[in-house]
């Protein structure tokens, strides 16, 4: 064994020792992670990325397993056991047969992520029977972390989302969802409409690819912004915060809807401002009317 191989062997050993020493990881899952050491060593012999990147699928998988185990409540043995039953066959497939490839670890990572996402959704559903026995505020409080995870997952799939909109979705909008679910139920039409509003809103902030997509966005915006305003009113969001978010949305939507397929550059539908760039607003001033672009602030 060469000097480089010896160094790699020792480094892998220290990495696994650190993982296996984490007291927050359930003992049974520490055993599963330990079983991955041999195949990861074998993979490292042919794939230098194992030792050069923490983002390598093998480490991403191991960290995902360890991270979810650490996040599970210690008193909830049932969830820990269910996760263990799910992980064991995945580990078995990676430790048997021909030497593994990065793709095998990436596929296992996706399966673990899907399990975690499904479990979070199930946890939301399981809170429903207890809601009648809980006070409204307590029910909302219990829902908040579950809904926060769900919104984070939706944000993770989106691009070009401003900090203002991200803050709104991570804060006030989660409160809106918790309030409706606690009072109407997670499966109520009201709750489902507001949950779907997150994906719709994020999609509306992406640049339309074609004139047809632009026309579709134009048709959907009134109802979408109406639901956003409905949620704001539901939690009595201060007017200055409403204005800030709505102004941000209106600016992005106007820019997207003003684009023309025949123009390479965007052209505003409202008269050009004498200023080189618009300044941030707290309470936006009324803009010139444009029949094609409704003014969301007025609703």
């Amino acid at each position: 064994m060469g000097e480089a191989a010896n160094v790699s062997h020792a480094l892998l050993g220290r990495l696994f020792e650190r993982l296996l020493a984490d007291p927050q990881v359930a003992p049974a899952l520490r055993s599963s992670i330990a079983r991955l050491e041999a195949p990861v060593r074998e993979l490292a012999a042919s794939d230098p990325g194992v030792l050069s990147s923490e983002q390598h699928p093998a480490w991403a998988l191991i960290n995902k397993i360890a991270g979810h185990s650490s996040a599970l409540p210690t008193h909830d043995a049932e969830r820990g056991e269910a996760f263990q039953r799910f992980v064991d066959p995945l580990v078995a497939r990676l430790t048997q047969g021909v030497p593994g490839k990065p793709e095998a670890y990436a596929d296992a990572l996706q399966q673990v992520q899907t399990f975690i996402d499904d479990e979070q959704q199930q946890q939301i559903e399981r809170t429903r029977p207890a809601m009648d026995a809980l006070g409204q505020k307590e029910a909302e409080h219990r829902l908040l972390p579950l809904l926060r995870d769900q919104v984070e997952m939706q944000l993770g799939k989106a691009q070009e989302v401003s900090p203002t909109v991200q803050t709104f979705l991570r804060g006030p909008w989660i409160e809106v969802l918790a309030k409706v679910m606690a009072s109407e139920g997670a499966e109520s039409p009201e709750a489902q409409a507001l949950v779907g509003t997150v994906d719709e809103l994020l999609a509306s902030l992406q640049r339309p690819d074609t004139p047809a997509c632009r026309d579709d966005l134009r048709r959907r915006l009134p109802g979408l912004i109406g639901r956003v305003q409905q949620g704001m009113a539901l939690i009595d969001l201060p007017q200055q915060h409403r204005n800030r978010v709505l102004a941000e949305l209106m600016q992005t939507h106007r820019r997207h809807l003003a684009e023309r397929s025949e123009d390479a550059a965007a052209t505003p539908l409202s008269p050009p401002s004498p200023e080189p760039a618009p300044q941030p607003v707290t309470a936006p001033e009324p803009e010139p009317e444009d029949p094609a672009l409704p003014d969301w602030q007025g609703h």
Side-chain angles (χ1 to χ4, degrees):
M1 182 179 290
E3 183 178 350
N6 283 329
V7 172
S8 298
H9 186 84
L11 178 58
L12 280 168
R14 288 196 296 272
L15 289 172
F16 272 93
E17 284 178 6
R18 184 183 66 183
L19 283 165
L20 298 175
D22 187 348
Q24 292 186 315
V25 179
L29 283 168
R30 286 205 295 269
S31 175
S32 296
I33 292 172
R35 289 163 56 198
L36 287 172
E37 182 172 359
V40 169
R41 287 183 182 278
E42 188 174 10
L43 179 62
S46 59
D47 184 353
V50 172
L51 290 173
S52 64
S53 174
E54 291 184 356
Q55 305 304 316
H56 189 280
W59 292 119
L61 171 65
I62 292 170
N63 287 330
K64 180 65 69 175
I65 293 172
H68 186 61
S69 176
S70 300
L72 290 173
T74 54
H75 64 272
D76 196 342
E78 182 179 348
R79 289 176 65 189
E81 291 168 1
F83 188 50
Q84 177 70 48
R85 289 193 298 270
F86 176 79
V87 167
D88 279 344
L90 288 182
V91 172
R93 286 196 292 272
L94 292 170
T95 57
Q96 297 171 356
V98 298
K101 296 182 179 180
E103 293 78 10
Y105 290 86
D107 180 65
L109 173 62
Q110 182 58 53
Q111 293 181 56
V112 171
Q113 185 62 61
T114 299
F115 176 92
I116 293 172
D117 293 342
D118 289 346
E119 184 195 47
Q120 289 173 345
Q121 186 60 39
Q122 290 169 9
Q123 288 300 305
I124 292 176
E125 295 301 324
R126 287 172 184 168
T127 62
R128 281 202 303 158
M131 283 181 182
D132 289 339
L134 294 170
Q136 177 81 6
K137 291 299 181 183
E138 185 177 353
E140 292 176 23
H141 181 74
R142 290 184 59 177
L143 281 165
L144 285 174
L146 300 172
L147 293 169
R148 186 172 294 112
D149 289 341
Q150 180 171 313
V151 170
E152 285 294 339
M153 181 176 64
Q154 291 170 291
L155 279 169
K157 299 175 182 177
Q159 299 176 352
E160 301 180 11
V161 184
S162 72
T164 297
V165 175
Q166 291 188 45
T167 299
F168 170 67
L169 291 176
R170 289 188 171 111
W173 197 254
I174 290 175
E175 294 178 24
V176 171
L177 296 177
K179 189 176 186 68
V180 173
M181 286 188 180
S183 60
E184 304 294 336
E187 293 299 322
S188 67
E190 295 84 355
Q192 290 303 303
L194 294 177
V195 169
T197 296
V198 177
D199 284 330
E200 284 190 57
L201 184 61
L202 293 174
S204 79
L205 298 176
Q206 312 309 306
R207 189 180 304 277
D209 295 329
T210 65
C213 292
R214 192 176 300 117
D215 290 342
D216 181 62
L217 174 60
R218 191 188 306 273
R219 287 191 297 269
R220 290 187 290 106
L221 276 181
L224 173 60
I225 298 301
R227 289 196 298 278
V228 172
Q229 293 175 311
Q230 174 191 357
M232 291 174 166
L234 192 65
I235 61 169
D236 293 324
L237 188 67
Q239 190 62 46
Q240 64 188 38
H241 298 322
R242 301 189 200 192
N243 289 345
R244 186 178 301 117
V245 174
L246 292 171
E248 180 89 15
L249 296 176
M250 183 169 63
Q251 184 180 46
T252 300
H253 291 148
R254 280 182 178 274
R255 185 172 64 249
H256 289 338
L257 293 177
E259 294 171 350
R260 293 291 182 264
S261 59
E262 62 269 19
D263 294 330
T267 56
L269 295 187
S270 56
S273 169
E275 297 295 330
Q279 298 298 314
V281 294
T282 300
E285 295 294 329
E287 297 198 21
E289 292 186 1
D290 187 325
L293 295 173
D295 185 350
W296 309 129
Q297 305 297 90
H299 295 277

